[in-house]
Amino acid sequence: MNYIKELFINKYGLSPENFDLFYSNITEVNRSKGEAIISKGEIHHSVYFIKKGAVRSYYISSDGKEITYWFGFEGDVIASLGNFVESKPSLETIELLEDVVLLKIDRTKLIELYNTNVELANFGRQLAEIGLLEMEQQILLNQVTDAKTRYLSLIEKHPQILQRVKLGQIASYLGITQVTLSRIRAQK
């Protein structure tokens, strides 16, 4: 718990007291590699924090291909925004790439904490802001940079990704073929 407590206090600015309040509403969940924590079409009423492990979010294109658009690692938040904000069926699937340890909180309990505690409400806002900023950065990278720049940015952000994620999933995330990814990696 020390790593998680430090993360929530240092990264998200929670006081130790409010971390304890928040943590008292969390359940630790162990899941196996290959499972889907959230599946397309499902309405899911929980938010997760990754304590240990790796995950990816993907959707299926109109021609049946899996398109990876997000990777999550220790300290990241897992949620389907459509589920969380509007209780709509998930558009994506969130798959476990490794055996994981997750911290789970029910949406109803989380909203209750937000409504009764200003610091926790600000914590929720900060989580949303961080997620939006990361999404904006990824959209900009995909729109205005070449594949090699996107690859190098991904490696800089997640240095361990090549040891933890299949190359085909990385290529999908970068919007390139696995052959192109191999060429880029060979240029180093």
Side-chain angles (χ1 to χ4, degrees):
M1 181 171 96
N2 287 341
Y3 160 74
I4 294 297
K5 187 170 188 171
E6 287 176 23
L7 175 76
F8 278 60
I9 290 171
N10 296 330
K11 183 176 180 179
Y12 301 121
L14 279 181
S15 66
E17 299 78 25
N18 280 319
F19 170 80
D20 291 341
L21 172 62
F22 182 76
Y23 201 81
S24 70
N25 289 282
I26 283 181
T27 305
E28 191 168 292
V29 178
N30 294 289
R31 295 286 172 91
S32 300
K33 176 181 179 176
E35 287 184 45
I37 195 74
I38 298 172
S39 297
K40 179 184 178 191
E42 169 180 283
I43 297 179
H44 198 79
H45 300 287
S46 297
V47 175
Y48 300 88
F49 297 86
I50 304 171
K51 184 174 181 181
K52 181 179 180 280
V55 304
R56 76 173 177 129
S57 292
Y58 69 91
Y59 64 92
I60 306 294
S61 68
S62 59
D63 61 354
K65 292 182 183 172
E66 290 183 3
I67 308 295
T68 298
Y69 70 89
W70 178 77
F71 293 109
F73 300 97
E74 288 80 5
D76 287 334
V77 179
I78 302 172
S80 169
L81 287 179
N83 274 194
F84 185 78
V85 175
E86 298 181 319
S87 293
K88 289 188 174 179
S90 177
L91 299 174
E92 69 272 339
T93 295
I94 301 176
E95 174 189 32
L96 308 178
L97 300 176
E98 300 173 339
D99 291 346
V100 299
V101 178
L102 302 170
L103 304 176
K104 175 183 175 182
I105 186 166
D106 181 72
R107 178 188 186 276
T108 304
K109 190 60 181 173
L110 185 58
I111 289 172
E112 180 183 314
L113 289 170
Y114 289 168
N115 288 334
T116 58
N117 186 300
V118 172
E119 186 178 310
L120 288 172
N122 284 330
F123 161 73
R125 177 190 47 79
Q126 191 175 21
L127 287 177
E129 289 172 349
I130 290 168
L132 286 170
L133 181 60
E134 288 176 357
M135 187 184 319
E136 178 185 60
Q137 290 169 345
Q138 188 59 42
I139 290 168
L140 289 173
L141 268 175
N142 287 343
Q143 295 293 319
V144 300
T145 62
D146 61 20
K148 183 175 182 179
T149 302
R150 292 192 306 271
Y151 170 75
L152 293 174
S153 176
L154 180 64
I155 297 303
E156 182 179 326
K157 183 176 180 183
H158 302 294
Q160 78 290 4
I161 197 166
L162 293 173
Q163 290 76 41
R164 300 176 77 181
V165 176
K166 293 178 183 176
L167 290 179
Q169 294 166 344
I170 293 171
S172 170
Y173 176 80
L174 296 171
I176 59 177
T177 65
Q178 198 165 338
V179 170
T180 301
L181 177 59
S182 294
R183 285 187 191 130
I184 291 169
R185 293 182 65 219
Q187 292 174 6
K188 286 185 95 174

